[in-house]
Amino acid sequence: MLECWTILAAVATQTAAVSLGSLVLGNTYRYPAVVANMAVTLDHVSQGRLVLGIGAGWQPNEHAAYGIELPAARDRVAVLAEACAVIRCLLDQRRSTMDGAAYRLRDAPFDPKPLSRLTLLVGGGGRLVMGVAARHADAWHAWARPAGLARKNAVLDGLLRDIGRCPGDVARATGGTVAVRAGRDAERAAGEIEVRGTPEDILSQLLAFRDAGADEFIVRDEAANFSIEQALTQLDPSRRPCYPG
């Protein structure tokens, strides 16, 4: 698998409008001050199109293979919260000082700044990670079907209110693989594909995610059975705005 951030830098030079981001960086792999510098650099290269996605990290086989420590889940989430605080502090302030259990800053300079406020997305569907999102994030992502997403959104709303933030302060994102089929072939889409069927079927399923509170649906590329151009052509007859804005 190619390295995410290097690919994003390359994609930024070949595109002009699409948002770019990581879904998500594992916090166990990189020091947050380095991540902040990487993010600002890519924000400038992309002319302000970056969404910085970060999560606690989780994949045991990868950590074991490369000798990277993988603490217990609760400890990883606590360190993620500190990392988000470090990143936000560096992005927003000229100099930062912070004392945490995992990370410390001492009058740390940080220039240049992002072109505008850089969106920090926290990924993860567990309540502890959602607590980190409530406190630090501009956007939150979780993989879920519409009913599950609606329940998680209600939990996040409560966590936000508990700390004095409005539910609308944090954008909600989800996603999945998509398979566009026509006619009788629509019934034969199988495997782990989460949104499938005719263009009309797919539109109905995407609207269900919207009704569950999703502001954005991110299409995963694995198991995709069509090109972007083909998908747009197939969806065109029933296309209408699915999401505000």
Side-chain angles (χ1 to χ4, degrees), residues 185-221:
D185 287 341
E187 299 177 1
R188 294 201 293 270
E192 296 302 317
I193 295 169
E194 297 172 45
V195 176
R196 58 184 182 266
T198 65
E200 292 79 9
D201 294 334
I202 287 173
L203 181 60
S204 175
Q205 292 171 62
L206 292 177
L207 288 171
F209 283 102
R210 181 202 62 182
D211 294 342
D215 299 298
E216 183 177 11
F217 186 94
I218 299 169
V219 178
R220 298 172 63 166
D221 58 357

